[in-house]
Amino acid sequence: MRKGFFIIVGVWLAISCQEIKDCELESSREFAIVRFYRADTSVQVTKEVAFSLVTDPQSEYYISSTADTIDDDTVRVMGLWLNPQGTEVNYVMTTDSIDYELKILYTPHLRIYYDECDPVYSFKLDSVYSPNFDSVAIANRVLDLAVPTNVEVYF
């Protein structure tokens, strides 16, 4: 009886020490966090913006439309999706007076962590460009859940 108990405990310990393959533990994301700031100050002050439409014309992907709602949807931060099949996106942010363009160049990396899990993409930002905003900057190149900001936009 005592030997049986030790065998059961030994088998249980061997099974419990196996590597846990949780497919939901991936920490990367498929969108860049963009924060908006005022350009006319010497300190970094967030700016509330209201875009009536944010689109990627190449993929016909749109994020928001305030035309669909009664309230004025203002944001200080937004996520811009990156296509794993491409290396750049060109977003157009429409207001009632001007269209702002934001071009993001990036590198997708296919990751396969375990045979049992689906492959995932991680992204690294290479550069950002805008002919309309006062300035844009990459705050953090890696799109990770622990990173609060990837791109800073000043205008």
Side-chain angles (χ1 to χ4, degrees), residues 98-116:
I98 189 171
D99 289 348
Y100 294 95
E101 296 177 28
L102 181 66
K103 182 176 190 173
I104 302 174
L105 300 170
Y106 58 92
T107 305
H109 299 280
L110 180 63
R111 306 269 192 232
I112 301 173
Y113 293 104
Y114 302 108
D115 293 338
E116 297 85 12

Side-chain angles (χ1 to χ4, degrees), residues 15-152:
I15 291 172
S16 65
C17 290
Q18 297 294 320
E19 187 175 352
I20 299 172
K21 297 177 180 165
D22 189 353
C23 296
E24 302 299 318
L25 293 178
E26 173 59 35
S27 65
S28 64
R29 61 175 171 243
E30 295 181 342
F31 55 90
I33 301 294
V34 179
R35 292 192 186 272
F36 300 97
Y37 297 98
R38 293 179 51 126
D40 57 352
T41 63
S42 60
V43 294
Q44 196 174 42
V45 177
T46 59
K47 181 175 184 171
E48 284 191 359
V49 295
F51 298 116
S52 58
L53 186 62
V54 178
T55 60
D56 174 12
Q58 294 171 337
S59 67
E60 297 180 6
Y61 176 75
Y62 83 96
I63 294 176
S64 65
S65 173
T66 56
D68 296 338
T69 62
I70 296 172
D71 298 333
D72 181 29
D73 293 334
T74 59
V75 295
R76 294 180 184 178
V77 61
M78 76 171 42
L80 297 180
W81 181 74
L82 305 180
N83 182 358
Q85 312 314 328
T87 58
E88 71 178 55
V89 290
N90 297 295
Y91 279 99
V92 176
M93 301 169 184
T94 305
T95 66
D96 55 354
S97 59
I98 189 171
D99 289 348
Y100 294 95
E101 296 177 28
L102 181 66
K103 182 176 190 173
I104 302 174
L105 300 170
Y106 58 92
T107 305
H109 299 280
L110 180 63
R111 306 269 192 232
I112 301 173
Y113 293 104
Y114 302 108
D115 293 338
E116 297 85 12
C117 300
D118 291 332
V120 295
Y121 283 93
S122 63
F123 297 91
K124 179 184 168 198
L125 299 181
D126 297 325
S127 64
V128 293
Y129 170 77
S130 176
N132 311 105
F133 292 115
D134 289 329
S135 68
V136 292
I138 295 177
N140 196 314
R141 293 187 183 281
V142 179
L143 275 60
D144 192 88
L145 295 175
V147 175
T149 304
N150 296 109
V151 177
E152 296 174 347

